[in-house]
Amino acid sequence: MTAPAPSPSVEDAPTPAPLTGLPAAICAKLSDAAATPFKDADRAQVTTFYQARECRPLWVDAQGPSHLADLVTAELSRAGEWGLDASDFQLTAARQALAPGQWSNDQLVAAELEITGTVLRYAHEAEGGRIPDPERQLSSYLDRMPTLTPASEVLTRIADQPDPAQVLRTFQPSQEQFLKLKALLADLRGGPAEKADAFVIPRRGKMLTVGVRDADIATLKQRFDIASETGSEQLFDDKLEAAVKKFQASKGLSDDGIVGPATRAALAGNNTGSKADNIKAVIANMEEWRWMPRSLGDTHILVNVPSFSITLTENGKTLFNDRVVVGTADKQTPIFSKDMTSIVLKPRWNIPDSIKLSMLLSGRSIEQQGYIVMRNGRRIDSTKVNWAKANLSAYTFYQPAGDDNALGLVKLLFPNKHSVYLHDTPSKSLFNESVRLYSHGCMRVRNPQDFAQQIFNVDRGDAAPDVKRLIRKGPMDNEFKLDRPIPVHVGYFTVWVDESGDAHYYGDWYGHQQRIALALAGKWDQIDVGRDHLAAVDTSALKQVKFTKSESSLDAPMGLTNDGKYRKYDGGVGDIIRQVLGF
């Protein structure tokens, strides 16, 4: 019987041939961390990537930079078209004026690693890496975080591809609005010189509407390039009305086609700014899109704070569009994305800690203001709590459901760390204002019942509940879980290109556009980051709170009746809500 051959040992395994030539030079350079053009976070991954391919180059050969290098460097030179700073991608080692075959190994290695480092920088900046942590670097209200592809994956995706430039472009956002902004940027940079301010009307003047004649009308027609028959230059006609409506919509004004004080101010103020200002605004908005999810969702909701608007979209079709009221400048609506999971009809209002503090400092007991206090599922008399020592977050203050409830009749929930949501409001008149900065951070919808019905229709089809019937006859605090959560994106886009290709410029109400512009210019020390709105509420002022027994009763004589309904009275719960929240 023949004995089996012995298994080969590790010592018997063939030793890889030592690297020579250009690969050996690349590996040697990679081993010297100080000599490589990579960020610390990328260096180890780049080294591992090259070692796995035995340090074969991507962009050069023995003759010099290859055809693939020419393709990718040409794409790098077009970075400015995508709203990036082209100076970030300048090449020197790879652009030396050397004839093919005259490149030394050291020069080839320098060119190879320079292109690789620049490709990585491009990919990461395309994904939003210029401002890697907006929440910390700009404002706690900007709850966004760019997702950067690891360096090894970038190189793996692009390595040995016949068209590396095309692969490089895939790191740019592909949302429709981002691409429209890219086209707008090209138009602004290549368009004709700006018109002079000769077509500006005075801020003060008569009301202008269809049928009116006035010298300012002739100026407006020139401004909007509207031709008139001889003798009709000063007549306000239908064409001018259409142009005025379009202008008003672009400014977030009521688009009634009437030139009143607000529209005159917008026209005289030249709110769109200079071409340079508009370019800066477009680039800042493009940067925000880099932080957004690459897919908004086939069905999604977008709230755009600067335009005070909300849109429900399904497969590219707009199902609902309406006005919203958003947070004040000091109690901002945060910018983030979360999934809507439920809708509550005839909701109760749970009071956030910041408002609890205001209520406790009002000098009246919580019950007298029309609210209920709970702890561990039990109802508590607010006058029997030592608020100077209490953990405010351990107590629930809420306003029961009802006609006078601050949330109105509909609440739409997408759980988030900011404790904000979409809801109804009893204060409908604020939707007529052109600038709607009035809430405590939540977003109020003008027609929430219609909005909720549309969402139910999308979510459940023929089985959708009848919102209006349930509002009339259904139970209080009636919560419905959505079968399919819907992404909600709260955005801050001061520039928006509509379906007709027209650009709309909105106010930078919270200053986020300015913060982004300063960051992109490297002026970090000039950015007003502001306070952390998620920091714990300072309750030290509660030491002064003192209630006497006579000031409170669980029967709440000035607010809730025993059956949980409100009495109407001057200075009551409705007034308190309006004072605290700015209704």
Side-chain angles (χ1 to χ4, degrees):
M1 184 176 199
T2 305
S7 300
S9 65
V10 175
E11 290 80 2
D12 295 330
T15 302
L19 297 178
T20 59
L22 184 55
I26 291 174
C27 271
K29 181 66 72 171
L30 287 170
S31 66
D32 183 359
T36 55
F38 308 118
K39 294 182 178 179
D40 291 342
D42 297 336
R43 185 174 291 110
Q45 292 191 38
V46 174
T47 300
T48 300
F49 168 82
Y50 271 101
Q51 288 176 342
R53 55 186 282 126
E54 297 182 326
C55 290
R56 288 183 294 108
L58 292 172
W59 315 112
V60 301
D61 55 30
Q63 298 297 305
S66 66
H67 175 61
L68 295 182
D70 293 339
L71 292 175
V72 80
T73 54
E75 187 63 29
L76 292 171
S77 70
R78 291 189 284 269
E81 298 174 13
W82 296 90
L84 300 177
D85 186 345
S87 65
D88 287 346
F89 311 103
Q90 296 292 331
L91 298 173
T92 54
R95 287 297 188 187
Q96 296 185 76
L98 295 171
Q102 292 184 349
W103 292 71
S104 69
N105 270 356
D106 286 345
Q107 291 170 326
L108 290 171
V109 171
E112 169 73 17
L113 299 185
E114 179 185 53
I115 295 174
T116 294
T118 308
V119 163
L120 290 174
R121 181 169 189 171
Y122 180 100
H124 289 159
E125 289 196 7
E127 294 176 322
R130 288 189 288 182
I131 307 175
D133 192 352
E135 189 173 21
R136 181 182 61 82
Q137 295 172 295
L138 302 183
S139 168
S140 67
Y141 288 105
L142 285 171
D143 183 7
R144 297 286 186 199
M145 180 70 74
T147 301
L148 305 185
T149 303
S152 58
E153 184 177 337
V154 173
L155 296 177
T156 298
R157 283 168 55 178
I158 205 167
D160 304 320
Q161 293 297 313
D163 188 356
Q166 188 278 329
V167 178
L168 200 56
R169 287 192 292 272
T170 64
F171 293 97
Q172 296 284 356
S174 59
Q175 302 101 330
E176 179 184 18
Q177 192 60 210
F178 177 85
L179 297 178
K180 286 183 175 180
L181 290 173
K182 177 178 180 286
L184 174 61
L185 180 62
D187 288 342
L188 288 170
R189 285 172 166 167
E194 296 178 83
K195 293 182 179 179
D197 290 335
F199 304 140
V200 174
I201 64 172
R203 289 179 177 270
R204 295 183 179 181
K206 66 189 295 185
M207 189 84 72
L208 305 178
T209 187
V210 173
V212 171
R213 286 184 178 271
D214 189 86
D216 288 345
I217 292 171
T219 303
L220 288 178
K221 286 187 172 181
Q222 288 178 295
R223 175 173 183 146
F224 294 121
D225 294 322
I226 297 173
S228 293
E229 295 181 4
T230 303
S232 298
E233 292 87 355
Q234 297 187 12
L235 175 65
F236 200 119
D237 54 24
D238 292 342
K239 290 181 180 179
L240 181 56
E241 181 186 44
V244 169
K245 286 183 176 180
K246 187 174 180 181
F247 173 81
Q248 290 169 326
S250 74
K251 302 296 178 223
L253 301 171
S254 177
D255 54 345
D256 54 13
I258 300 173
V259 180
T263 302
R264 277 184 173 273
L267 288 163
N270 191 23
N271 284 357
T272 58
S274 67
K275 181 181 288 189
D277 288 338
N278 290 347
I279 288 173
K280 187 181 297 185
V282 170
I283 291 174
N285 277 259
M286 292 176 75
E287 199 67 18
E288 288 186 76
W289 279 104
R290 302 183 196 281
W291 310 336
M292 292 287 284
R294 289 306 169 100
S295 172
L296 301 183
D298 293 338
T299 301
H300 66 269
I301 296 162
L302 176 66
V303 177
N304 188 27
V305 169
S307 63
F308 312 111
S309 65
I310 185 170
T311 305
L312 169 64
T313 302
E314 182 181 35
N315 296 322
K317 179 182 179 181
T318 298
L319 301 182
F320 180 85
N321 181 264
D322 207 354
R323 298 180 181 184
V324 295
V325 168
V326 299
T328 61
D330 62 340
K331 297 180 180 66
Q332 299 175 16
T333 294
I335 309 305
F336 66 102
S337 295
K338 287 292 182 180
D339 286 349
M340 181 178 291
T341 56
S342 62
I343 297 176
V344 185
L345 305 181
K346 296 195 286 191
R348 79 180 195 179
W349 179 38
N350 292 315
I351 316 300
D353 283 355
S354 58
I355 301 180
K356 291 178 191 175
L357 183 64
S358 299
M359 295 166 66
L360 288 167
L361 296 174
S362 69
R364 302 172 63 211
S365 71
I366 304 307
E367 291 79 12
Q368 284 181 310
Q369 296 177 55
Y371 302 90
I372 292 173
V373 181
M374 303 283 290
R375 186 179 185 190
N376 297 329
R378 296 178 56 199
R379 188 169 173 181
I380 302 293
D381 185 337
S382 66
T383 66
K384 296 181 179 180
V385 178
N386 183 349
W387 294 108
K389 296 182 178 180
N391 176 5
L392 196 58
S393 297
Y395 293 82
T396 298
F397 292 15
Y398 75 88
Q399 181 189 20
D403 292 340
D404 211 19
N405 187 281
L407 304 185
L409 298 171
V410 180
K411 178 171 68 172
L412 305 103
L413 297 174
F414 39 107
N416 58 85
K417 67 182 182 182
H418 308 279
S419 299
V420 300
Y421 37 84
L422 291 155
H423 66 85
D424 187 9
T425 175
S427 302
K428 302 294 186 183
S429 62
L430 294 179
F431 292 107
N432 296 325
E433 300 291 331
S434 58
V435 177
R436 296 186 285 277
L437 302 166
Y438 293 103
S439 86
H440 198 267
C442 287
M443 295 142 278
R444 309 174 196 166
V445 185
R446 181 171 59 170
N447 295 294
Q449 293 184 42
D450 294 341
F451 183 44
Q453 189 65 63
Q454 286 283 3
I455 292 172
F456 281 137
N457 292 345
V458 169
D459 186 59
R460 303 189 182 185
D462 293 339
D466 186 329
V467 171
K468 293 185 177 179
R469 184 183 68 80
L470 289 169
I471 292 292
R472 292 194 309 271
K473 301 181 179 180
M476 297 290 186
D477 214 34
N478 191 9
E479 183 169 1
F480 293 81
K481 297 289 186 182
L482 297 183
D483 292 337
R484 294 174 296 163
I486 297 176
V488 178
H489 308 288
V490 184
Y492 192 86
F493 300 111
T494 56
V495 185
W496 193 269
V497 182
D498 63 23
E499 294 179 357
S500 301
D502 295 321
H504 302 265
Y505 296 84
Y506 302 110
D508 184 16
W509 311 113
Y510 296 162
H512 294 327
Q513 176 190 301
Q514 176 68 5
R515 291 183 181 90
I516 295 168
L518 288 171
L520 296 182
K523 300 178 181 179
W524 297 96
D525 59 336
Q526 297 181 28
I527 297 173
D528 179 13
V529 176
R531 67 179 182 85
D532 180 0
H533 76 287
L534 293 174
V537 175
D538 180 5
T539 59
S540 59
L542 290 177
K543 294 179 181 178
Q544 63 184 281
V545 174
K546 293 182 179 180
F547 293 132
T548 62
K549 186 173 183 180
S550 62
E551 288 179 322
S552 177
S553 167
L554 289 179
D555 292 334
M558 295 186 67
L560 294 170
T561 61
N562 287 332
D563 61 3
K565 296 182 179 179
Y566 290 104
R567 288 193 179 101
K568 302 293 184 180
Y569 57 92
D570 292 337
V573 63
D575 291 337
I576 295 295
I577 293 168
R578 279 184 280 274
Q579 291 172 12
V580 174
L581 297 185
F583 284 119

